[in-house]
Structure formats: C-alpha cells, structure tokens
Amino acid sequence: MKLRKVSAAAATALVLTLTATACGGDGDSEGGSGSGGGDKIKIGIKYDQPGLGLKEPGGKFSGFDVDVATYVAKELGYDAGQIEFVETKSADRENALARGDVKMIAATYSITDERKEKVDFAGPYLLAHQDLLIKADSNISKGTDLNGKNLCSVTGSTSAQNVKESIAPKANLKQYSGYSECIAALQSGAVDAVTTDDSILAGFAAQSQYKGKFKLAGLKLSNENYGIGVKKGDTEALNKINTALEKMVKDGAWDKAVQDNFGPANYKNEPAPKTGNIVK
Ligand code: GLU
C-alpha cells in the first residue's frame, strides 16, 4: 500500500516534469535556430559490417561510420533522433547520391578519381588498407597466392576492382552485394578468401561465432581513404562536413569512436587523416 502511494506520487511528479519539459521545448524551438526543426536527414550507411555500419537485430545502428555520421549530422543541426539511416550497398552509392535518396553517405566509401566524376567527397576521415580474410589454417600469405583460388568480394567495391586489375587477375572472383554474404561463403568453404578493407575484415573476424576460425593475412594491398560522399556540386554540405570532421578529431570524439568500435576487434587503425590529404 505504502509502495503504491509512492509510485503514484512519483508518477504525478513525472507527468509534471514531462509537461514542463514539453513546454520548455516548444518555447525553444519557436525561437529556434532554424536548424532543421522536425526535419529528418537521410544518411547512407552499410547494414552488415560489424564495427563500421551495422543494423543490429533490435534495430539499433552501430559502428564507426554510424558514430561519424551522427557527429556530423549534429554539427549540421540534426539530433540523433532526426537521422534516418538508409542502407547503401557498395554498388548503389553513387546512384543513391545522384538520385537524392540520401543527403550523405558514410559507408566505408573510398575516395577515388573515378567516383569523384560522379560524387563529391568530404574527408578523408579514416585510412584503411585492403587485406584478405582466410581460414585460420590457410597458407595463403600473399596476393598472388589467390590466382586460381576462389575469392569473394563485393560488386562496386575498390576491393573487387583491385583484384581484377592488379592483385590476382587469375583468381576466380565471386562478387556478392554485401560482405556478410562473402563471410558465409568463407565459412562454408565455397571460397578460400574474402578480400576488402582490413577495418571491415577485422570486424567480422571478431564476431563471437567466428572466433578462432578466421585470420587476417595482414597485407596492406591498397590505401583506402574513407570519405563522406555527397551529391556532386553540394559544396555547402561538403564544407560543413569537412568542418565537422576536423572538429571531431580535435575534440577527441574521433578517438573515442575509434576505441568504441575498433577496440573490440583489436583493429590497429592509422592516425586520423587530415581533411583533403589523400594517401595514394
Ligand atoms: N572501401 C572500399 C570501397 O569503397 C571497400 C569497402 C566497400 O565496398 O564499402 O569500395
């Protein structure tokens, strides 16, 4: 009985607090900054890359790209609740921006000259390197070992392109639409290796169901400078995003995002890149 009384009082107090907050909120936004109000911002991410861009079973989004995108959106005037994350697979990214499906893309999106003909990039905000994920007992140890082997990568990725053009043109390359499908193929034995950025592969290797089963070859087969893609010509967004990225590095949020997301995978990342500094 006594308990009930307490909860009733607590409930009344809560209602009063909520009412007060709601009134305060209304007042604030009326005199507001005009920074978006109830608007949403659509941001393209990956949905299947643990540690980078992942839609968790409960619907929560996690990963380094998600944290970078959330920080940048905040600087652009959008709270986390105003973000709508949209899945942008590797092969869809340029089109998603051109069509205006999303305002920006933070999806392990490497800055390349070819892509720059179609979209603009802010950043870079991370430097990764192409590597191989192989079974723990595999003796593949260099790129050319892949010639004649079954290899998996993703359509529209720099990883698949590099394999065909230079790393192992004679590999039997299967291309899927997402890396999670490649990982399943590695587990079943359908392929001998998966190739993409070490940052992505480390995230998969650290998943509890794969512990001890896979290893990274540890090869730096390329430089992948991650940028935030925007529609070609959207200079206003580009400049604001670059300013936000610089602030994120300066105030320590970039380091925190690295620790939170790459720490569990034991991924040794490169230091924060400087805006505009592309490592070829
Ligand atoms: N960073 C590379 C790329 O942009 C590989 C990862 C990906 O496919 O997202 O193509």
Side-chain angles (χ1 to χ4, degrees):
M1 204 47 201
K2 207 176 171 196
L3 259 181
R4 254 206 211 143
K5 252 188 209 155
V6 172
S7 18
T12 313
L14 185 63
V15 169
L16 289 175
T17 318
L18 287 175
T19 316
T21 315
C23 290
D26 274 346
D28 279 356
S29 65
E30 266 161 30
S33 56
S35 62
D39 291 357
K40 290 249 176 198
I41 184 166
K42 289 189 181 173
I43 305 180
I45 58 161
K46 294 294 185 73
Y47 272 17
D48 71 337
Q49 296 177 188
L52 280 153
L54 185 71
K55 185 175 186 185
E56 295 180 6
K60 190 179 166 271
F61 296 99
S62 68
F64 185 70
D65 281 340
V66 169
D67 288 354
V68 169
T70 305
Y71 186 101
V72 167
K74 179 98 190 157
E75 293 301 305
L76 265 55
Y78 298 90
D79 288 338
Q82 289 171 284
I83 300 173
E84 188 183 323
F85 286 115
V86 176
E87 183 175 33
T88 44
K89 292 178 178 247
S90 296
D92 299 337
R93 293 175 291 198
E94 287 83 34
N95 286 338
L97 287 171
R99 282 193 304 257
D101 294 353
V102 291
K103 178 75 177 169
M104 60 169 132
I105 292 184
T108 59
Y109 200 7
S110 297
I111 302 171
T112 69
D113 289 340
E114 205 180 323
R115 289 172 180 165
K116 275 203 294 198
E117 287 171 15
K118 296 180 182 159
V119 301
D120 284 337
F121 286 101
Y125 63 92
L126 190 76
L127 174 62
H129 305 282
Q130 188 169 352
D131 199 354
L132 310 175
L133 190 71
I134 47 184
K135 288 239 167 104
D137 60 359
S138 169
N139 50 22
I140 293 172
S141 64
K142 51 186 188 306
T144 48
D145 289 347
L146 297 168
N147 283 314
K149 294 255 170 35
N150 294 323
L151 177 65
C152 192
S153 199
V154 162
T155 315
S157 68
T158 53
S159 328
Q161 198 175 353
N162 291 340
V163 165
K164 289 184 270 185
E165 285 173 5
S166 56
I167 300 168
K170 295 203 175 89
N172 172 27
L173 179 66
K174 289 186 204 302
Q175 295 183 69
Y176 291 128
S177 69
Y179 295 102
S180 50
E181 295 160 69
C182 283
I183 301 295
L186 180 64
Q187 196 181 21
S188 75
V191 297
D192 304 297
V194 177
T195 187
T196 188
D197 307 338
D198 46 10
S199 47
I200 299 172
L201 298 173
F204 280 111
Q207 297 286 287
S208 56
Q209 68 269 38
Y210 304 129
K211 276 256 164 73
K213 290 191 178 155
F214 303 150
K215 65 181 179 190
L216 270 81
L219 310 171
K220 288 185 163 53
L221 297 166
S222 72
N223 293 318
E224 303 296 324
N225 301 269
Y226 290 2
I228 296 193
V230 298
K231 193 179 202 148
K232 188 130 195 80
D234 192 352
T235 331
E236 196 192 334
L238 198 71
N239 292 337
K240 282 187 187 165
I241 297 169
N242 275 330
T243 306
L245 290 173
E246 282 159 20
K247 187 174 168 203
M248 187 177 185
V249 172
K250 225 180 265 161
D251 72 10
W254 188 91
D255 278 324
K256 188 180 180 303
V258 158
Q259 265 160 31
D260 291 350
N261 297 293
F262 297 143
N266 205 16
Y267 174 63
K268 301 276 171 283
N269 62 285
E270 300 272 3
K274 283 209 163 54
T275 304
N277 188 11
I278 312 286
V279 180
K280 288 276 180 185

